[in-house]
Amino acid sequence: MQSVNQAKQKATIRSHSPAKPVLIFVSSRRQTRLTSLDLIAFLATEDDPKQWLKMDEREMNDIIGTVRDSNLKLTLAFGIGMHHAGLHERDRKTVEELFVNCKIQVLIATSTLAWGVNFPAHLVIVKGTEYYDGKTRRYVDYPITDVLQMMGRAGRPQFDDQGKAVILVHDIKKDFYKKFLYEPFPVESSLLDVLADHLNAEIAAGTITSKQDAMDYITWTYFFRRLIMNPTYYNLDNVSHDTMNKYLSSLVEKSLFDLECSYCIEIGEDNRSIEPLTYGRIASYYYLKHPTIGMFKDQLKPESSVEELLFILTNADEYTDLPVRHNEDQMNSELAKHLPIEVNPHSFDSSHTKTHLLLQAHFSHAMLPCPDYATDTKTVLDQAIRICQAMLDVTAHHGWLVAALNITNLVQMIVQGRWVHDSSLLTVPNIEVQHLYLFQKWSQGKRKSLHGGYQGPIECLPELMAACEGKENVFASIVDNELQTAHISQAWNFLSRLPILNVSLSIKGCWDDPAQPQNEVPVPSLTTDTRDDKRWIKLHADQEYVLQIHLQRTQMGYQGKQDSKAVAPRFPKVKDEGWFLILGEVDKKELIALKRTGYVRNKNTVSVAFYTPETPGKCIYTLYLMSDSYLGMDQQYDIYLNIIPASTSAQATTDVSDAMSYLTLK
């Protein structure tokens, strides 16, 4: 088939489009390279091997000098472009501009381009109608809609009065494609594959509260319309009333059973009513598949470590479709040898194992075996934050402090592309392990400084920022022996935009004690002697209070416009800077409250409500201010509480409230 395709496509270009743009669709990134090399070999036998290059060779050589991909450098010289997701974005843009402006005649692309930007050509060649599906590990046919979309790229209305499309296909499939290409093609529903997740979203929103509501919901869908029109496609024999009822009932029962097994819903005792559970609401809010949230319930533990959380994250159902291509199991095996956490050696052909390896490589700055892996890493990172946020909500629901803090560390690792145990100085652009000695060496020479400021050894970002005091020349003096001027500027741009937050705390509530008549009490600063009784704040037992967290941002030498976007060179998407506020009791490893807040521009006050313990006595709550974007910028504050018996008025208020609730229920 391969040799026949090669001969056919050469003859097709020569006869149908010898001088006009040609677009060739192939099944994989590897095929773009192999097909282009075949065409170059064909051109070598021609009198004019550069016949597909429509611009001056010297100009093309200048453009080739800016291209990163070595194969693309070779093909562009012959007027042949390659386009696939594995190319660097700038290389793709270069190829797109050259083809649209008719500077190169032939563009070889993967089928996904048909659904992307519109590059019409006079001639379209679909080189085969099968592709390798890594999930099922076999060759499968393109969907007919994809083939139609590829054909639709033939024809340039502004230049041509006709377009030509040639499909190279196995002879036994010829009649099949003729039928569907020349006759109207019905669009069928894909709802069945994700029906349970759709029902969960509606149950969480309160739209569906019973099994009958679920049945009614299905009758409003496009799936139901197609079920009536084409029942055999959905494995239904006929559309009689009884048959339809049984079919839809079985769909609803199966979907609800799956949701129950994933802890998303609860079926009432009457076997009709449906109640959403916390897990279902979390899955709906973060657009997670229900098997993922069920897996969180089973695998998350009160003290899950970062390493354990990484395994849980990569086992999410959202990563099931990550492609494992030909021979990538061998690449995964080789990559695993250079990474710190071991994976199952018998699962290198698994999407979840590949996801785990890609994240490890992201944290370790490991060399990836091929450009495809860089693209796959972007795919993994795109979904990672959303899944981690859901994991954090699950741990908050259970009150697991240790696991919650480790999840926030995992989020920071994903955004900055470093391990949490690495020095936070390594998140600064252009600073590598071999440069860390510069900061220690500098600190030793500055210990005798008389003008104040930070003088100790520099081990982390806050210490470096304190040492620099907002002055770029101080930072430059530390690293100028190892870094070029441009690299120093990049590093300083990162440092100067890091968030420095000053924090003050107060507690709002009601006090009957004459010594504390005010409604808001400041939390003593860290400098207060722990033996001082004034440090202990008296609060009544089993009563709600509000912790007021006052945040004030300090600029450190950055003169530009304030921007809410986090500086994250290794994260593929633009991300807003934000914070997790976690209130916990360390002794009990219990999470009391969790709150998220966004970018702090100048000043911001965040309120966190919490209940005091039921038993009088002394306890220490700790507030963790955790960045969702940066490693090493976290803060924590201890709050010393002296819990005294509940006040008479508070008890009376509680009793009246309980009585009113009872009357309302009656």
Coordinates of all heavy atoms in Angstrom, one line a residue, residues 436-508:
L436 N 23.9 27.8 42.2 CA 23.4 28.0 43.6 C 24.6 28.4 44.5 O 24.4 29.2 45.4 CB 22.8 26.7 44.1 CG 21.5 26.3 43.5 CD1 20.9 25.0 44.1 CD2 20.4 27.4 43.6
Y437 N 25.8 28.0 44.2 CA 26.9 28.4 45.0 C 27.1 29.9 45.0 O 27.7 30.4 46.0 CB 28.2 27.7 44.6 CG 28.9 28.3 43.4 CD1 29.9 29.2 43.6 CD2 28.5 28.1 42.1 CE1 30.6 29.8 42.5 CE2 29.1 28.7 41.0 CZ 30.1 29.6 41.2 OH 30.7 30.2 40.2
L438 N 26.7 30.6 44.0 CA 26.9 32.0 43.9 C 26.2 32.7 45.0 O 26.7 33.7 45.6 CB 26.4 32.5 42.5 CG 27.1 32.1 41.3 CD1 26.4 32.5 40.0 CD2 28.5 32.7 41.2
F439 N 25.0 32.3 45.3 CA 24.2 32.9 46.4 C 24.8 32.7 47.8 O 24.8 33.6 48.6 CB 22.8 32.4 46.3 CG 22.1 32.7 45.0 CD1 22.0 31.7 44.0 CD2 21.6 33.9 44.7 CE1 21.5 31.9 42.8 CE2 21.0 34.1 43.4 CZ 21.0 33.1 42.5
Q440 N 25.3 31.5 48.0 CA 25.9 31.2 49.3 C 27.3 32.0 49.4 O 27.6 32.5 50.5 CB 26.2 29.7 49.4 CG 24.9 28.8 49.4 CD 25.2 27.4 49.1 OE1 26.3 27.0 48.8 NE2 24.1 26.6 49.1
K441 N 28.0 32.0 48.3 CA 29.3 32.8 48.3 C 29.1 34.2 48.6 O 29.8 34.9 49.4 CB 30.0 32.6 47.0 CG 31.2 33.3 46.7 CD 31.7 33.1 45.3 CE 33.0 34.0 45.0 NZ 33.4 33.8 43.6
W442 N 28.0 34.8 48.0 CA 27.8 36.2 48.2 C 27.4 36.5 49.6 O 27.8 37.5 50.2 CB 26.6 36.7 47.2 CG 26.2 38.1 47.4 CD1 26.8 39.2 46.8 CD2 25.2 38.6 48.3 NE1 26.2 40.3 47.2 CE2 25.2 40.0 48.1 CE3 24.3 38.0 49.2 CZ2 24.3 40.8 48.9 CZ3 23.5 38.8 49.9 CH2 23.5 40.2 49.7
S443 N 26.6 35.7 50.2 CA 26.1 35.9 51.6 C 27.2 36.0 52.6 O 27.2 36.7 53.5 CB 25.1 34.9 52.0 OG 25.7 33.6 52.1
Q444 N 28.3 35.1 52.3 CA 29.4 35.1 53.2 C 30.2 36.4 53.2 O 30.7 36.9 54.2 CB 30.4 34.0 52.8 CG 29.7 32.6 53.1 CD 30.6 31.5 52.4 OE1 31.6 31.7 51.9 NE2 30.1 30.3 52.6
G445 N 30.2 37.1 52.1 CA 30.9 38.3 51.9 C 30.2 39.5 52.5 O 30.7 40.6 52.6
K446 N 28.9 39.4 52.7 CA 28.0 40.5 53.1 C 27.6 40.5 54.6 O 26.9 41.3 55.1 CB 26.8 40.5 52.3 CG 27.0 40.7 50.8 CD 27.5 42.0 50.5 CE 27.8 42.2 49.0 NZ 28.3 43.5 48.6
R447 N 28.2 39.5 55.4 CA 27.7 39.4 56.7 C 28.1 40.6 57.6 O 27.4 40.9 58.6 CB 28.4 38.1 57.4 CG 27.8 36.8 56.8 CD 28.4 35.6 57.6 NE 28.0 34.4 57.0 CZ 26.8 33.8 57.2 NH1 25.9 34.3 58.0 NH2 26.5 32.6 56.6
K448 N 29.1 41.3 57.2 CA 29.6 42.4 58.1 C 28.9 43.7 57.6 O 29.4 44.8 58.1 CB 31.1 42.5 58.0 CG 31.8 41.3 58.5 CD 33.3 41.4 58.5 CE 34.0 40.2 59.0 NZ 35.5 40.3 58.9
S449 N 27.9 43.7 56.8 CA 27.2 44.9 56.4 C 26.7 45.6 57.6 O 26.1 45.0 58.5 CB 26.1 44.5 55.4 OG 25.4 45.7 55.0
L450 N 26.8 47.0 57.6 CA 26.4 47.8 58.7 C 25.0 48.5 58.4 O 24.5 49.1 59.3 CB 27.5 48.8 59.0 CG 28.8 48.3 59.3 CD1 29.8 49.4 59.5 CD2 28.8 47.4 60.6
H451 N 24.5 48.4 57.2 CA 23.3 49.2 56.9 C 22.0 48.4 57.0 O 21.0 48.7 56.4 CB 23.5 49.8 55.5 CG 23.6 48.8 54.4 ND1 24.8 48.2 54.1 CD2 22.7 48.3 53.6 CE1 24.6 47.4 53.1 NE2 23.4 47.4 52.8
G452 N 22.0 47.3 57.8 CA 20.8 46.5 57.9 C 20.6 45.7 56.7 O 21.5 45.3 55.9
G453 N 19.3 45.2 56.5 CA 19.0 44.4 55.3 C 19.4 42.9 55.6 O 19.9 42.6 56.7
Y454 N 19.0 42.1 54.7 CA 19.2 40.6 54.9 C 20.7 40.3 54.8 O 21.3 40.7 53.8 CB 18.4 39.8 53.9 CG 18.5 38.3 54.2 CD1 17.8 37.7 55.2 CD2 19.3 37.6 53.4 CE1 17.9 36.4 55.4 CE2 19.5 36.2 53.6 CZ 18.7 35.6 54.7 OH 18.8 34.3 54.9
Q455 N 21.3 39.6 55.7 CA 22.7 39.3 55.7 C 23.0 37.8 55.8 O 24.2 37.4 55.7 CB 23.4 40.0 56.9 CG 23.3 41.5 56.8 CD 23.9 42.2 57.9 OE1 24.7 41.7 58.6 NE2 23.4 43.4 58.2
G456 N 22.0 36.9 56.0 CA 22.2 35.5 56.2 C 22.5 34.8 54.9 O 22.4 35.4 53.8
P457 N 22.7 33.5 54.9 CA 22.9 32.8 53.6 C 21.6 32.7 52.8 O 20.5 32.6 53.4 CB 23.3 31.3 54.1 CG 22.7 31.3 55.5 CD 22.8 32.6 56.1
I458 N 21.7 32.9 51.5 CA 20.5 32.9 50.6 C 20.2 31.5 50.2 O 21.0 30.8 49.5 CB 20.8 33.8 49.4 CG1 21.0 35.2 49.8 CG2 19.6 33.7 48.4 CD1 21.4 36.2 48.7
E459 N 19.1 30.9 50.7 CA 18.7 29.6 50.4 C 17.4 29.5 49.6 O 17.0 28.4 49.1 CB 18.6 28.8 51.7 CG 19.8 28.7 52.5 CD 20.9 27.8 51.9 OE1 20.6 27.0 50.9 OE2 22.1 27.8 52.3
C460 N 16.6 30.6 49.6 CA 15.3 30.5 49.0 C 14.9 31.9 48.4 O 15.6 32.9 48.6 CB 14.2 30.1 50.0 SG 14.1 31.2 51.4
L461 N 13.8 31.9 47.7 CA 13.4 33.2 47.0 C 13.2 34.4 48.0 O 13.6 35.5 47.7 CB 12.1 32.9 46.2 CG 12.3 32.2 44.9 CD1 10.9 32.0 44.2 CD2 13.2 33.0 44.0
P462 N 12.4 34.2 49.1 CA 12.2 35.3 50.0 C 13.5 35.9 50.5 O 13.6 37.1 50.6 CB 11.4 34.8 51.1 CG 10.6 33.6 50.5 CD 11.6 33.0 49.5
E463 N 14.5 35.1 50.8 CA 15.8 35.5 51.3 C 16.5 36.3 50.2 O 17.1 37.3 50.4 CB 16.6 34.4 51.8 CG 16.1 33.7 53.0 CD 16.8 32.5 53.4 OE1 17.7 32.0 52.7 OE2 16.5 31.9 54.5
L464 N 16.4 35.8 48.9 CA 17.0 36.5 47.8 C 16.4 37.9 47.6 O 17.1 38.9 47.4 CB 16.9 35.7 46.5 CG 17.4 36.3 45.2 CD1 18.9 36.7 45.4 CD2 17.2 35.4 44.1
M465 N 15.1 37.9 47.7 CA 14.4 39.2 47.5 C 14.7 40.2 48.6 O 14.9 41.4 48.4 CB 12.9 39.0 47.4 CG 12.5 38.1 46.2 SD 10.9 37.3 46.4 CE 9.8 38.7 46.1
A466 N 14.8 39.7 49.8 CA 15.2 40.6 50.9 C 16.6 41.1 50.8 O 16.9 42.3 51.1 CB 15.1 39.8 52.3
A467 N 17.5 40.3 50.3 CA 18.9 40.7 50.1 C 19.0 41.7 49.0 O 19.8 42.7 49.1 CB 19.8 39.5 49.7
C468 N 18.2 41.6 47.9 CA 18.3 42.5 46.8 C 17.7 43.9 47.1 O 18.1 44.9 46.5 CB 17.6 41.9 45.6 SG 18.5 40.5 44.9
E469 N 16.7 43.9 48.0 CA 16.0 45.1 48.4 C 15.5 45.9 47.2 O 15.5 47.2 47.2 CB 16.9 46.0 49.2 CG 17.3 45.3 50.6 CD 18.2 46.2 51.4 OE1 19.1 47.0 50.8 OE2 18.1 46.2 52.6
G470 N 15.0 45.2 46.2 CA 14.4 45.9 45.0 C 15.4 46.5 44.0 O 15.0 47.2 43.1
K471 N 16.7 46.1 44.2 CA 17.7 46.7 43.3 C 18.3 45.7 42.4 O 18.9 44.7 42.8 CB 18.9 47.3 44.2 CG 18.4 48.4 45.1 CD 19.4 48.8 46.1 CE 18.9 49.9 47.1 NZ 19.9 50.2 48.1
E472 N 18.2 45.9 41.1 CA 18.7 44.9 40.1 C 20.2 44.8 40.1 O 20.7 43.7 39.9 CB 18.2 45.4 38.7 CG 18.6 44.4 37.6 CD 18.1 44.7 36.2 OE1 17.4 45.8 36.1 OE2 18.4 44.0 35.3
N473 N 20.9 45.9 40.4 CA 22.3 45.9 40.4 C 22.9 44.9 41.5 O 23.9 44.3 41.4 CB 22.9 47.3 40.6 CG 22.5 47.9 41.9 OD1 21.4 47.8 42.4 ND2 23.5 48.6 42.6
V474 N 22.1 44.8 42.6 CA 22.5 43.9 43.7 C 22.4 42.4 43.2 O 23.3 41.6 43.4 CB 21.7 44.1 45.0 CG1 22.1 43.0 46.0 CG2 21.8 45.5 45.5
F475 N 21.3 42.1 42.5 CA 21.1 40.8 42.0 C 22.2 40.5 40.9 O 22.8 39.4 40.9 CB 19.7 40.6 41.4 CG 19.5 39.3 40.6 CD1 19.4 38.2 41.3 CD2 19.5 39.3 39.3 CE1 19.2 36.9 40.7 CE2 19.3 38.1 38.6 CZ 19.1 36.9 39.3
A476 N 22.5 41.5 40.1 CA 23.5 41.4 39.0 C 24.9 41.1 39.6 O 25.6 40.3 39.1 CB 23.5 42.6 38.1
S477 N 25.1 41.7 40.7 CA 26.5 41.5 41.4 C 26.6 40.1 41.9 O 27.7 39.6 42.0 CB 26.7 42.5 42.5 OG 25.8 42.2 43.6
I478 N 25.5 39.4 42.2 CA 25.6 38.1 42.7 C 25.9 37.1 41.5 O 26.7 36.2 41.7 CB 24.2 37.7 43.3 CG1 23.9 38.6 44.5 CG2 24.3 36.2 43.8 CD1 22.5 38.4 45.1
V479 N 25.3 37.3 40.4 CA 25.3 36.3 39.3 C 26.1 36.7 38.1 O 26.2 35.9 37.1 CB 23.9 35.9 38.9 CG1 23.1 35.3 40.0 CG2 23.1 37.1 38.3
D480 N 26.7 37.9 38.0 CA 27.3 38.4 36.8 C 28.5 37.5 36.3 O 28.9 37.6 35.2 CB 27.7 39.9 36.9 CG 28.7 40.1 38.0 OD1 29.1 39.2 38.7 OD2 29.1 41.3 38.2
N481 N 29.1 36.8 37.2 CA 30.2 35.9 36.8 C 29.7 34.7 36.0 O 30.5 34.1 35.2 CB 30.9 35.4 38.0 CG 31.7 36.5 38.7 OD1 32.1 37.5 38.1 ND2 31.9 36.3 40.0
E482 N 28.5 34.4 36.1 CA 28.0 33.2 35.4 C 26.9 33.4 34.3 O 26.8 32.7 33.4 CB 27.4 32.2 36.4 CG 28.3 31.6 37.4 CD 29.1 30.5 36.8 OE1 28.8 30.0 35.7 OE2 30.1 30.0 37.5
L483 N 26.2 34.5 34.4 CA 25.1 34.8 33.5 C 25.4 36.0 32.6 O 26.0 36.9 33.0 CB 23.8 35.1 34.2 CG 23.2 33.9 35.1 CD1 21.8 34.4 35.7 CD2 23.1 32.7 34.3
Q484 N 24.9 35.9 31.3 CA 25.0 37.0 30.4 C 24.0 38.1 30.8 O 23.0 37.9 31.5 CB 24.7 36.6 29.0 CG 25.6 35.5 28.5 CD 25.2 35.0 27.1 OE1 24.2 35.4 26.6 NE2 26.0 34.0 26.6
T485 N 24.2 39.3 30.3 CA 23.4 40.5 30.7 C 21.9 40.2 30.3 O 21.0 40.5 31.1 CB 23.8 41.7 29.9 OG1 25.2 41.9 30.2 CG2 23.0 42.9 30.4
A486 N 21.6 39.6 29.2 CA 20.2 39.4 28.8 C 19.6 38.4 29.7 O 18.4 38.5 30.1 CB 20.2 38.8 27.3
H487 N 20.3 37.4 30.1 CA 19.8 36.4 31.1 C 19.5 37.0 32.5 O 18.6 36.6 33.1 CB 20.7 35.2 31.2 CG 20.8 34.3 29.9 ND1 21.8 33.4 29.7 CD2 20.0 34.3 28.8 CE1 21.5 32.8 28.5 NE2 20.5 33.4 28.0
I488 N 20.4 37.9 32.9 CA 20.2 38.6 34.1 C 18.9 39.4 34.1 O 18.1 39.4 35.1 CB 21.4 39.5 34.5 CG1 22.7 38.6 34.7 CG2 21.1 40.4 35.7 CD1 23.9 39.4 34.9
S489 N 18.7 40.1 33.0 CA 17.4 40.9 32.9 C 16.2 40.0 32.9 O 15.2 40.4 33.6 CB 17.5 41.6 31.5 OG 18.5 42.6 31.5
Q490 N 16.2 38.8 32.3 CA 15.1 37.9 32.3 C 14.8 37.4 33.7 O 13.7 37.4 34.2 CB 15.4 36.7 31.4 CG 15.3 37.0 29.9 CD 15.7 35.8 29.1 OE1 16.0 34.7 29.6 NE2 15.6 35.9 27.8
A491 N 15.9 37.1 34.4 CA 15.8 36.6 35.8 C 15.2 37.7 36.7 O 14.4 37.4 37.6 CB 17.1 36.1 36.3
W492 N 15.7 38.9 36.5 CA 15.3 40.0 37.4 C 13.8 40.3 37.1 O 13.0 40.7 38.0 CB 16.1 41.3 37.2 CG 15.6 42.4 38.1 CD1 15.0 43.5 37.7 CD2 15.7 42.5 39.5 NE1 14.7 44.3 38.7 CE2 15.1 43.7 39.9 CE3 16.2 41.6 40.5 CZ2 15.0 44.1 41.2 CZ3 16.1 42.0 41.8 CH2 15.5 43.2 42.1
N493 N 13.4 40.3 35.8 CA 12.0 40.5 35.5 C 11.1 39.5 36.3 O 10.0 39.9 36.8 CB 11.8 40.3 34.0 CG 10.3 40.5 33.6 OD1 9.8 41.6 33.8 ND2 9.7 39.5 33.0
F494 N 11.5 38.3 36.4 CA 10.8 37.3 37.2 C 10.8 37.7 38.7 O 9.7 37.7 39.3 CB 11.4 35.9 37.0 CG 10.8 34.8 37.8 CD1 9.7 34.1 37.4 CD2 11.4 34.5 39.1 CE1 9.2 33.0 38.2 CE2 10.9 33.5 39.9 CZ 9.8 32.8 39.4
L495 N 11.9 38.0 39.2 CA 12.1 38.3 40.6 C 11.3 39.5 41.0 O 10.6 39.5 42.0 CB 13.5 38.5 41.0 CG 14.4 37.3 41.3 CD1 15.8 37.7 41.5 CD2 13.9 36.6 42.6
S496 N 11.3 40.5 40.2 CA 10.7 41.8 40.6 C 9.2 41.7 40.5 O 8.5 42.6 41.1 CB 11.2 42.9 39.6 OG 10.8 42.6 38.3
R497 N 8.6 40.7 39.8 CA 7.2 40.6 39.8 C 6.6 39.5 40.7 O 5.4 39.3 40.8 CB 6.8 40.2 38.3 CG 7.1 41.3 37.3 CD 6.9 40.8 35.9 NE 5.5 40.4 35.6 CZ 5.1 39.9 34.4 NH1 6.0 39.8 33.5 NH2 3.8 39.6 34.3
L498 N 7.5 38.9 41.5 CA 7.0 38.0 42.5 C 6.2 38.7 43.6 O 6.5 39.8 44.0 CB 8.2 37.3 43.2 CG 8.9 36.2 42.4 CD1 10.1 35.7 43.2 CD2 8.0 35.1 42.1
P499 N 5.1 38.1 44.1 CA 4.2 38.7 45.1 C 4.8 38.7 46.5 O 5.1 37.6 47.0 CB 3.0 37.9 45.0 CG 3.4 36.5 44.6 CD 4.6 36.7 43.7
I500 N 5.1 39.9 47.0 CA 5.5 40.0 48.4 C 4.2 40.5 49.2 O 3.8 41.7 48.9 CB 6.6 41.0 48.6 CG1 7.8 40.5 47.7 CG2 7.1 41.0 50.1 CD1 9.0 41.5 47.8
L501 N 3.7 39.7 50.0 CA 2.5 40.1 50.8 C 2.7 40.3 52.2 O 3.3 39.4 52.9 CB 1.4 39.0 50.6 CG 0.9 38.7 49.2 CD1 -0.3 37.8 49.2 CD2 0.4 40.0 48.5
N502 N 2.3 41.5 52.7 CA 2.3 41.7 54.2 C 1.0 41.3 54.7 O -0.1 41.6 54.2 CB 2.6 43.2 54.5 CG 4.0 43.6 54.1 OD1 4.9 42.8 54.2 ND2 4.1 44.8 53.6
V503 N 1.0 40.5 55.8 CA -0.3 39.9 56.3 C -0.5 40.4 57.7 O 0.4 40.4 58.6 CB -0.2 38.4 56.3 CG1 -1.5 37.7 56.8 CG2 0.1 37.9 54.9
S504 N -1.8 40.8 58.0 CA -2.2 41.0 59.4 C -3.5 40.3 59.6 O -4.3 40.2 58.7 CB -2.3 42.5 59.7 OG -3.2 43.1 58.8
L505 N -3.7 39.9 60.8 CA -4.9 39.1 61.1 C -5.7 39.7 62.2 O -5.2 40.3 63.2 CB -4.5 37.6 61.5 CG -3.6 36.9 60.6 CD1 -3.2 35.6 61.2 CD2 -4.2 36.7 59.2
S506 N -7.0 39.5 62.2 CA -7.9 39.8 63.3 C -9.1 38.8 63.3 O -9.4 38.2 62.3 CB -8.4 41.3 63.1 OG -9.2 41.4 61.9
I507 N -9.7 38.7 64.5 CA -10.9 37.8 64.6 C -12.1 38.6 64.9 O -12.1 39.5 65.9 CB -10.6 36.8 65.7 CG1 -9.4 35.9 65.3 CG2 -11.8 35.9 65.9 CD1 -9.0 34.9 66.3
K508 N -13.2 38.4 64.2 CA -14.5 39.1 64.4 C -15.4 38.1 65.1 O -15.5 36.9 64.8 CB -15.1 39.5 63.1 CG -14.8 40.9 62.7 CD -15.6 41.3 61.5 CE -15.4 42.8 61.1 NZ -16.3 43.2 60.0

